[in-house]
Amino acid sequence: MTLARRYADTLPDLVSQVVPQPLQGMRLRLVNQELADALSLPQSWWQKDGLLAALQDPNSALSRNAVAQKYGGHQFGHWNPFLGDGRGLLLGEAQHAEHGWQDLHLKGAGQTPYSRHADGRAVLRSTLREYLGQEALHHLGIPTSRSLCLFSSTDTVYREQPEPGAMMIRTAPSHIRFGHFEYYFNTQNTDALKRLVTFTLHNHFPECLQAENPWAALLLAITLRTARLVAHWQVHGFVHGVMNTDNMSVHGITFDYGPYAFMDTFTSSAVFNHSDHEGRYAFDRQPGIALWNLNALAHAFSDECTIEELRDALSRFEPVFLEQYHRLMTDRMGLETNDTGIRLMQDWLSMLATQQRDYTGSFRLLALADLTLSPSPLRDHFPDRDTFDAWWEDYRNARLHSETASISQASLRQKNPAIIPRTHQLSALISQAEAGEWSTVEEYIDALASPFDTRWDDHPFSRPPATPASVSLSCSS
Ligand code: AMP
Ligand code: MG
């Protein structure tokens, strides 16, 4: 099969051709067959190990067409021009049955011109975390890149300690990051910047071409998508962990999973990335950081847009974020999106924070709670039952006397997952995969595909950690 090469052929000077160099002893361990079928990828890739053979053959069409993309980025607020696909390769693009062209991006296949002194490898730990994270978010309805397949390896890769290596392929509408535009702007390569924007507009944002200034329209479109994305993160208690501008996709999808985590106990300032000493990427700072990143992107557009155009686009972030956040949050709770609904939602969150309750688990219990009961048995979930009782009376009243009274428990369940990829569950699965045991990983992937199903209530897969440990995740991957 020959993949399309729209990016590489249109912007040849923005990529470097790099032949993949898989590690030793690679085995195909996970395939997202549904996604593979939707992309019309050949069955021989999976059934006869045809994909691995093609990646191991430096002369195959797949290997010869692979390219590494150049980009830069603001990392923890500091501009870094030396970034790029240091261990990722764009294999090409395939047409999805419903969602148009998708990049196939291979991670962990060796060094590229942008590796600097790093090894170009990925460890099984981070690869599996990304694979599971992408699928979990997809099935929760949060925009994200997707997982196509994962290969384990018998080779060791050195991080803080020796770890098994791995390789994976993810898909996304493109791998164009904020940092792509920043790089060509900051290096004053105006010609490349213009061609990149033209490519992005024609292939990914054609609706912006009609605008008086397509650059301004593009910035606005990216701003709106990013605002809606971050609202989803805040609603589900998701912490991305490394919101550097090179990890921000123009499509407004969750992208470049590193030390991400879903919160267990609700702490609004939660930080899980152990390199993030100042809490720059804390849970409650994500909306502000997204806007900071959009500001960096706007700067790269500043030769082609007026200050007013840039300001207009960026000024839409906050209202769109808040509108989406309030709507999704009140929907989750069966409330109307009005002052009362928003107040009840905020009081609920304060209660979870003050009483140190599990975030996802508490929402699920609320979705399953019987509104006809007062007091509610849910009071036993809270150390301070009196505070809960008072809130419940208010909540119950609002629910029973509003337009949302007819919302069924089944439909509320569909907005409140029983299972999310909790960090301690992922750690246990990683240990199993490292020991060559993949059957539970496969069961877990199946569970993540139906996160709202009652099968997962009280299932070991959905349990919070026995003792809420403080989670610290390594950025090294
Ligand atoms: P990340 O933290 O994964 O978003 O990566 C930040 C930058 O470092 C990107 O330019 C990556 O390509 C590069 N990078 C990360 N890990 C490696 C590695 N093991 N080998 C080469 N480059 C890497
Ligand atoms: Mg990255």
Side-chain angles (χ1 to χ4, degrees):
M1 147 148 205
T2 317
L3 297 170
R5 284 172 49 96
R6 297 179 313 158
Y7 190 90
D9 284 344
T10 314
L11 303 164
D13 51 325
L14 275 52
V15 300
S16 299
Q17 196 197 336
V18 179
V19 170
Q21 292 175 286
L23 291 164
Q24 295 301 307
M26 294 221 111
R27 268 182 70 180
L28 178 66
R29 294 291 189 171
L30 301 172
V31 182
N32 186 342
Q33 198 60 56
E34 218 176 285
L35 179 60
D37 292 344
L39 291 165
S40 305
L41 300 175
Q43 279 303 322
S44 60
W45 273 20
W46 324 112
Q47 284 165 3
K48 298 183 189 132
D49 254 342
L51 174 58
L52 186 57
L55 294 173
Q56 285 167 332
D57 173 4
N59 294 313
S60 69
L62 206 59
S63 292
R64 281 187 285 108
N65 282 328
V67 295
Q69 294 182 329
K70 175 62 194 164
Y71 52 84
H74 276 89
Q75 297 184 302
F76 290 90
H78 301 285
W79 171 242
N80 183 347
F82 302 110
L83 302 176
D85 287 334
R87 48 145 168 203
L89 294 176
L90 175 59
L91 295 175
E93 298 137 60
Q95 186 114 47
H96 189 283
E98 285 167 46
H99 305 304
W101 289 101
Q102 299 290 317
D103 279 4
L104 268 60
H105 182 94
L106 176 67
K107 194 163 180 178
Q111 289 173 321
T112 79
Y114 318 118
S115 301
R116 292 173 287 168
H117 302 296
D119 58 9
R121 300 299 175 190
V123 296
L124 178 58
R125 167 177 53 83
S126 66
T127 309
L128 187 52
R129 277 175 49 83
E130 178 162 11
Y131 192 103
L132 298 171
Q134 286 177 148
E135 288 314 289
L137 267 70
H138 170 74
H139 291 289
L140 289 171
I142 308 176
T144 177
S145 48
R146 299 285 311 270
S147 312
L148 180 63
C149 63
L150 183 150
F151 300 93
S152 65
S153 161
T154 52
D155 268 354
T156 298
V157 171
Y158 293 87
R159 294 292 178 261
E160 279 120 2
Q161 58 197 30
E163 294 188 46
M167 212 166 57
M168 72 175 293
I169 297 178
R170 71 177 175 209
T171 68
S174 87
H175 278 65
I176 303 173
R177 308 148 190 263
F178 292 11
H180 274 85
F181 303 99
E182 292 179 273
Y183 177 74
Y184 295 104
F185 177 79
N186 287 341
T187 53
Q188 285 152 27
N189 191 342
T190 314
D191 169 64
L193 178 62
K194 283 186 180 165
R195 286 184 289 117
L196 178 62
V197 168
T198 303
F199 177 88
T200 308
L201 284 165
H202 279 272
N203 292 289
H204 302 293
F205 295 83
E207 66 283 4
C208 296
L209 285 165
Q210 318 305 325
E212 199 177 317
N213 181 351
W215 289 61
L218 178 60
L219 179 65
L220 175 61
I222 297 171
T223 300
L224 300 183
R225 289 187 192 198
T226 306
R228 293 191 188 110
L229 170 67
V230 178
H232 274 100
W233 291 354
Q234 300 311 106
V235 165
H236 282 284
F238 176 81
V239 184
H240 179 283
V242 204
M243 290 175 69
N244 293 335
T245 57
D246 53 302
N247 292 336
M248 298 290 292
S249 161
V250 295
H251 301 286
I253 57 174
T254 315
F255 187 66
D256 258 16
Y257 290 62
Y260 75 87
F262 281 84
M263 276 186 277
D264 295 309
T265 303
F266 179 46
T267 311
S268 62
S269 59
V271 177
F272 301 104
N273 178 350
H274 82 178
S275 310
D276 187 4
H277 308 294
E278 290 171 10
R280 179 180 175 86
Y281 299 139
F283 174 69
D284 56 3
R285 294 181 78 177
Q286 295 189 123
I289 289 291
L291 184 55
W292 192 98
N293 291 341
L294 286 159
N295 207 78
L297 176 65
H299 185 57
F301 283 22
S302 58
D303 284 344
E304 298 290 332
C305 299
T306 63
I307 289 284
E308 287 70 33
E309 284 173 328
L310 299 178
R311 269 204 205 117
D312 281 352
L314 297 179
S315 70
R316 297 287 300 283
F317 181 89
E318 188 174 322
V320 170
F321 166 77
L322 282 176
E323 192 271 330
Q324 176 88 348
Y325 175 72
H326 287 152
R327 194 176 55 71
L328 291 173
M329 261 325 222
T330 48
D331 271 6
R332 247 195 121 156
M333 298 177 69
L335 293 164
E336 283 181 90
T337 315
N338 55 20
D339 287 351
T340 306
I342 292 169
R343 177 180 55 79
L344 283 163
M345 175 270 282
Q346 286 167 341
D347 289 349
W348 164 254
L349 288 182
S350 305
M351 210 157 49
L352 298 188
T354 320
Q355 305 201 37
Q356 290 287 282
R357 295 297 83 197
D358 183 80
Y359 188 79
T360 303
S362 301
F363 274 98
R364 179 73 176 182
L365 289 175
L366 184 63
L368 302 177
D370 184 346
L371 272 189
T372 62
L373 300 179
S374 187
S376 164
L378 187 52
R379 72 193 305 266
D380 294 334
H381 178 65
F382 291 87
D384 176 357
R385 294 179 174 83
D386 293 342
T387 303
F388 173 78
D389 286 343
W391 178 85
W392 174 256
E393 268 318 295
D394 256 9
Y395 172 75
R396 208 173 147 250
N397 269 323
R399 285 280 307 275
L400 293 173
H401 302 112
S402 74
E403 286 174 14
T404 53
S406 57
I407 290 177
S408 68
Q409 201 184 61
S411 87
L412 268 193
R413 241 189 0 239
Q414 288 303 110
K415 295 175 178 132
N416 292 282
I419 176 171
I420 43 150
R422 293 179 187 270
T423 302
H424 73 288
Q425 302 278 359
L426 298 185
S427 303
L429 293 169
I430 289 162
S431 301
Q432 292 184 23
E434 286 177 344
E437 173 48 60
W438 288 82
S439 58
T440 317
V441 175
E442 283 170 13
E443 283 171 37
Y444 193 73
I445 292 170
D446 283 344
L448 293 177
S450 55
F452 307 106
D453 199 296
T454 47
R455 260 181 308 165
W456 313 119
D457 288 305
D458 299 320
H459 190 279
F461 280 165
S462 44
R463 281 192 200 137
T467 43
S470 78
V471 175
S472 179
L473 293 162
S474 166
C475 218
S476 75
S477 55

